[in-house]
Amino acid sequence: MAVLWRLSALCSAQGSRALLLQTPVFRPAHISAFLQDRPTPDWCGVQHIHLSLSHHSGSKTACLHWTSERVVSVLLLGRLLAAYLNPCSAMDYSLAATLTLHGHWGFEQVVTMFIGTFGRKLPRQGFWQFQF
Amino acid sequence: MAALLLRHVGRHCLRAHFSPQLCIRNWSLPMAMSICHRGTGIALSAGVSLFGMSALLLPGNFESYLELVKSLCLGPALIHTAKFALVFPLMYHTWNGIRHLMWDLGKGLKIPQLYQSGVAVLVLTVLSSMGLAAM
């Protein structure tokens, strides 16, 4: 069952790869940071900062991809806990789907880091990985 | 302490092919943990795939293999060690993944916090692995 899910995820990845062809070299740094600076008496709350490096329309897709990756990660965390507490076949299916998607996207990140996106070489990405 | 150990390891790296990437720089804890995060991710993904493939290809079901392992009458220490070795990558990847998600929220990005959260992740990994392996 897990294998069938994996195969279907691979097929859908081809579709998502076609979308990603429009994106620039770097995944845009869509970082929304909740900054809470030194709280002053008149500080009214949190501040949103959006940084978007790309001007292409494809950046929306890449932003969505980035956000979806995080959402799936959080979902998987919840699923692991829920599957242990409440085993049932519906839980099995959703866990298989979430695990497959998370694993596929994660593997894609590693491959992109060392080999680059479609048609582009990023040989120095491994360098930046070691920098962090 | 961990930084000193890693620096020692990096200095004695003898692989000429990787030495520009590995030997000329001081290894740091965040760097090593980041590499381990990706490594454990790949290992876990391969494990899940192997599990799925063997479920399709190998005869019998999971219970029969469990019975097979039980019938080998291995010592409890060996079984505990094997369970620990299996669950350690999963726990490391989970806790470090939560650390990554915290960074994505913009929290804990200062350098001292990086080291503190890294050590916390390692400690949590060992403790939770031991707890789960004992179950």
Side-chain angles (χ1 to χ4, degrees):
Chain A
M1 195 64 216
V3 179
L4 289 173
W5 275 111
R6 199 152 193 105
L7 288 174
S8 65
L10 276 171
C11 292
S12 67
Q14 296 298 323
S16 69
R17 195 167 289 281
L19 282 173
L20 285 172
L21 279 176
Q22 302 157 22
T23 62
V25 175
F26 302 104
R27 300 202 181 279
H30 172 74
I31 305 169
S32 86
F34 291 93
L35 291 181
Q36 277 182 319
D37 256 305
R38 299 157 287 283
T40 56
D42 52 349
W43 184 254
C44 54
V46 299
Q47 185 183 4
H48 275 262
I49 290 188
H50 286 263
L51 299 170
S52 180
L53 291 177
S54 167
H55 311 292
H56 291 206
S57 63
S59 69
K60 286 249 159 55
T61 316
C63 280
L64 197 59
H65 181 96
W66 189 90
T67 314
S68 315
E69 277 183 343
R70 315 299 133 167
V71 166
V72 165
S73 305
V74 173
L75 273 178
L76 185 59
L77 276 177
R79 279 272 163 267
L80 283 178
L81 219 69
Y84 176 71
L85 295 171
N86 185 20
C88 65
S89 72
M91 200 63 75
D92 281 347
Y93 285 130
S94 58
L95 186 62
T98 324
L99 200 62
T100 309
L101 195 54
H102 180 76
H104 173 78
W105 277 343
F107 191 71
E108 197 185 303
Q109 290 279 353
V110 176
V111 165
T112 308
M113 183 179 76
F114 284 113
I115 297 178
T117 54
F118 183 84
R120 279 179 237 263
K121 277 219 163 280
L122 295 171
R124 303 302 283 162
Q125 284 306 303
F127 172 79
W128 290 113
Q129 165 69 7
F130 284 123
Q131 284 303 307
F132 187 51
Chain B
M1 179 67 210
L4 284 174
L5 194 64
L6 286 170
R7 207 168 289 148
H8 181 82
V9 164
R11 208 175 289 134
H12 285 79
C13 168
L14 292 172
R15 295 287 303 270
H17 183 70
F18 288 113
S19 71
Q21 285 95 348
L22 297 177
C23 292
I24 62 167
R25 59 188 84 238
N26 286 326
W27 282 60
S28 61
L29 186 68
M31 178 171 111
M33 287 189 72
S34 185
I35 295 169
C36 286
H37 188 72
R38 301 210 175 215
T40 50
I42 295 179
L44 287 168
S45 198
V48 164
S49 293
L50 268 178
F51 186 77
M53 292 292 280
S54 46
L56 263 186
L57 298 174
L58 295 179
N61 59 358
F62 184 69
E63 282 84 6
S64 65
Y65 285 102
L66 202 55
E67 287 302 317
L68 181 69
V69 171
K70 278 200 187 135
S71 70
L72 291 174
C73 295
L74 301 165
L78 188 60
I79 296 215
H80 191 252
T81 313
K83 278 165 48 171
F84 182 84
L86 275 178
V87 89
F88 189 82
L90 179 63
M91 283 293 109
Y92 176 82
H93 193 83
T94 308
W95 293 117
N96 208 19
I98 295 178
R99 188 168 161 240
H100 261 92
L101 289 171
M102 288 289 116
W103 292 337
D104 291 333
L105 284 176
K107 296 191 160 68
L109 287 167
K110 297 195 175 56
I111 296 290
Q113 289 171 325
L114 235 60
Y115 280 85
Q116 284 162 7
S117 59
V119 170
V121 159
L122 286 173
V123 167
L124 272 172
T125 304
V126 172
L127 289 178
S128 55
S129 303
M130 292 203 308
L132 282 177
M135 282 169 67

